[in-house]
Amino acid sequence: TLAVHKTKNSLIMSAVSTVSWSGFYRKTIEQRRLLVAQHMSQLGSNNKDNSALPQGLADDVADAMVENCIGSLALPLAVSPNFVVNGRRFVVPMAVEEASVVAAASSAAKLVAAHGDQGGFVAESTRNVMIGQVQLVNTGAVEPVVGSVSKRRQGLIDAANAFCASMVKRGGGVVDVRARVVKPRRLAFDDSDVAEELEPRESYVVVHFHVDCCEAMGANLINTIVEGVAPQLLEWVRSDVDGAADAEVGFRILSNLCDERVTTSSFAIPTSKLAWKGVDGSVVARQIMRGYYLAVDDVYRATTHNKGIMNGIDAAAVALGQDWRAIEAAAHAHASASGQYSPLTRYRIEKRPGGDDNDDDAKEVEYFVGRLSIPISVGTVGGSLKTHPQYKWCNQLLGPNVDSQTLAQIIVSVGLAQNFAALRALAIEGIQKGHMSLHAKNVAVAAGVPTEQIAEATKFMINSGKINQASALAFLNQNQ
């Protein structure tokens, strides 16, 4: 089956899987692998043997990736088959050890796909622009330096693009250069109120090179550019600015705050479709809003709120071979952009016209709307995506024609789904009930329960209301 999907710049045609994912969580690992293999085959995967998930990282490959390597460390790899983003269904890989993360994201994604006003998540991304920084110090007056950079803007763009010629040929490269004046902040070393400095610090200039990284995350590329262009920048500043003869180049490094590389995902569901656990949908929506406002008002809650978002984002990013540390850093910086650490998601209840547009008596329909917008840098080329067999396999699982923007949109949609599911659970039944039920499996394994008895032991602990090792051992004693 073929379907046409609209991207930012064009229409693409891709294969559509007809695999049924109903009851996927009830199946055995082998049954799930067979379904995933069937799915990949229908998508036209390049894998010669789709049924064989690569089992880990070879020692020689791992040794080439990091220093002092002694092996590799595995995480559970799961899939969430329910994500529909911009009308296209994705089976999303997630690598995570925390119970309930995959279940929660999958449940929310299924609800959004079934009842969202657009049949799933709606997502968009800005251009893949990252920033490289060059610090200039000992320049004397700083405003003339800003003026010099502005005057030399095109020359600096051309000079910088010489260090990324292949990227320029692909339509990317340096697209802008701007200078900022940075004023020193006084920050105490410890809990005291005194910020000791060896010598007075003056304002200085940081020059930003804005780079369109095309399909790459861009870190190595940008570092190459700023290190390469810095001598020319310094030469021009010394030439243009009186009193800047002693100017020096300081740090040259990319910034992970990619605030010009932003992805947004959203959904809207009629509150009547939010009914859950016997609770009316309108009540569910308002209870979620109560929890959301707590995160808006209180930094302690906002921190845990955002951690829940990153539970989903990180799990997908790890499985897909992305730099989850860079994603985390940018997200938390963005959460602090207003001066107060705030929730990354936004929620509201709104009323929309319902029924026929020509019907004056049509009632308004109440919708619950969620939105997540964050700076995020991901790539479909470079890094370890080609050297790590499981990263390569996981990216193939998404299907063909997944560019870096689509990849970002999938990952951000996972974060939004994860947060929505967590808020719903907190609002209606508390986080522990569902989480601990799933955690019971881990407890059973740790207690030495045989694999064939884990399901029974889990049920025993849940029914007893005691999900701990003592309860698991009691089960073992009764079933020896």
Side-chain angles (χ1 to χ4, degrees):
T1 305
L2 295 176
V4 176
H5 305 286
K6 186 177 181 180
T7 67
K8 188 173 183 180
N9 299 313
S10 62
L11 294 175
I12 60 172
M13 181 174 289
S14 59
V16 176
S17 169
T18 58
V19 169
S20 171
W21 302 98
S22 178
F24 186 71
Y25 70 98
R26 296 192 187 97
K27 299 182 184 299
T28 65
I29 285 183
E30 286 304 320
Q31 289 171 332
R32 294 183 199 129
R33 285 174 177 165
L34 287 173
L35 277 178
V36 169
Q38 182 182 349
H39 166 77
M40 293 182 75
S41 178
Q42 291 186 15
L43 292 182
S45 168
N46 293 325
N47 278 357
K48 295 180 180 178
D49 183 4
N50 288 327
S51 64
L53 168 67
Q55 294 299 311
L57 197 60
D59 282 350
D60 59 337
V61 177
D63 192 38
M65 294 173 70
V66 299
E67 302 78 18
N68 302 341
C69 180
I70 61 170
S72 56
L73 178 66
L75 284 171
L77 177 62
V79 298
S80 178
N82 300 319
F83 276 89
V84 177
V85 182
N86 291 339
R88 183 176 175 186
R89 181 175 292 275
F90 296 98
V91 177
V92 182
M94 301 176 71
V96 63
E97 84 293 346
E98 184 174 335
S100 80
V101 169
V102 178
S106 297
S107 175
K110 185 176 182 179
L111 178 64
V112 173
H115 300 299
D117 66 336
Q118 300 294 320
F121 295 92
V122 178
E124 61 182 2
S125 301
T126 62
R127 196 173 179 184
N128 297 330
V129 173
M130 299 285 287
I131 292 171
Q133 297 184 296
V134 178
Q135 179 191 32
L136 296 174
V137 296
N138 299 332
T139 61
V142 290
E143 292 302 334
V145 177
V146 174
S148 170
V149 172
S150 178
K151 180 180 74 172
R152 300 278 192 175
R153 174 181 172 276
Q154 189 57 53
L156 287 167
I157 291 174
D158 294 340
N161 275 332
F163 296 95
C164 59
S166 61
M167 185 69 72
V168 174
K169 289 180 181 178
R170 294 196 295 272
V174 180
V175 295
D176 199 5
V177 179
R178 304 174 201 167
R180 297 169 50 232
V181 174
V182 178
K183 297 180 179 180
R185 292 176 59 210
R186 294 181 66 84
L187 188 64
F189 179 76
D190 50 27
D191 294 334
S192 69
D193 294 328
V194 180
E196 297 181 358
E197 296 176 353
L198 293 177
E199 54 190 40
R201 297 195 302 130
E202 303 292 338
S203 296
Y204 51 91
V205 174
V206 175
V207 181
H208 282 191
F209 289 80
H210 299 251
V211 184
D212 185 338
C213 299
C214 296
E215 287 302 298
M217 181 269 185
N220 292 332
L221 169 75
I222 290 172
N223 289 335
T224 297
I225 291 171
V226 293
E227 289 185 359
V229 76
Q232 180 64 77
L233 169 64
L234 180 62
E235 179 183 330
W236 278 338
V237 166
R238 286 175 172 175
S239 172
D240 294 344
V241 179
D242 291 338
D246 294 328
E248 298 176 71
V249 171
F251 273 44
R252 300 149 293 165
I253 188 72
L254 91 154
S255 171
N256 286 119
L257 179 52
C258 48
D259 53 6
E260 293 190 14
R261 191 175 188 173
V262 177
T263 291
T264 302
S265 179
S266 63
F267 68 83
I269 301 176
T271 58
S272 61
K273 300 299 183 181
L274 287 181
W276 193 57
K277 304 289 184 180
V279 181
D280 181 78
S282 179
V283 175
V284 172
R286 281 158 177 79
Q287 291 289 85
I288 291 175
M289 291 304 299
R290 178 184 295 175
Y292 166 63
Y293 288 137
L294 174 59
V296 171
D297 299 335
D298 178 48
V299 68
Y300 288 89
R301 173 57 201 154
T303 302
T304 311
H305 179 104
N306 288 344
K307 188 265 183 183
I309 295 170
M310 303 315 293
N311 277 347
I313 287 178
D314 287 353
V318 169
L320 291 163
Q322 303 302 314
D323 187 347
W324 59 270
R325 301 159 301 276
I327 295 172
E328 282 265 2
H332 293 301
H334 185 65
S336 305
S338 68
Q340 175 179 331
Y341 189 83
S342 302
L344 290 164
T345 46
R346 300 288 185 269
Y347 294 101
R348 71 182 180 190
I349 297 172
E350 63 184 33
K351 297 200 175 202
R352 299 180 178 181
D356 192 331
D357 291 340
N358 298 319
D359 184 359
D360 294 335
D361 297 325
K363 294 183 179 180
E364 290 184 319
V365 177
E366 187 177 74
Y367 278 83
F368 180 76
V369 182
R371 181 175 183 268
L372 173 59
S373 184
I374 59 171
I376 180 171
S377 55
V378 298
T380 59
V381 297
S384 55
L385 294 179
K386 290 186 177 180
T387 58
H388 196 305
Q390 289 180 324
Y391 289 166
K392 184 177 180 180
W393 186 92
C394 285
N395 279 273
Q396 288 179 336
L397 178 61
L398 295 177
N401 301 314
V402 175
D403 60 16
S404 59
Q405 292 186 333
T406 303
L407 182 61
Q409 291 160 14
I410 294 168
I411 293 173
V412 172
S413 297
V414 173
L416 178 56
Q418 184 70 37
N419 184 239
F420 170 45
L423 288 176
R424 183 178 64 169
L426 279 165
I428 304 305
E429 65 176 4
I431 202 68
Q432 284 297 79
K433 185 175 181 181
H435 177 80
M436 291 304 290
S437 295
L438 290 166
H439 179 60
K441 292 182 179 180
N442 291 335
V443 174
V445 171
V449 175
T451 301
E452 65 275 9
Q453 292 184 296
I454 287 177
E456 190 178 350
T458 298
K459 184 177 180 181
F460 174 88
M461 286 187 283
I462 292 172
N463 290 340
S464 70
K466 298 177 181 178
I467 302 176
N468 52 41
Q469 190 170 33
S471 181
L473 293 174
F475 168 83
L476 281 175
N477 291 332
Q478 292 179 23
N479 291 272
Q480 286 182 343

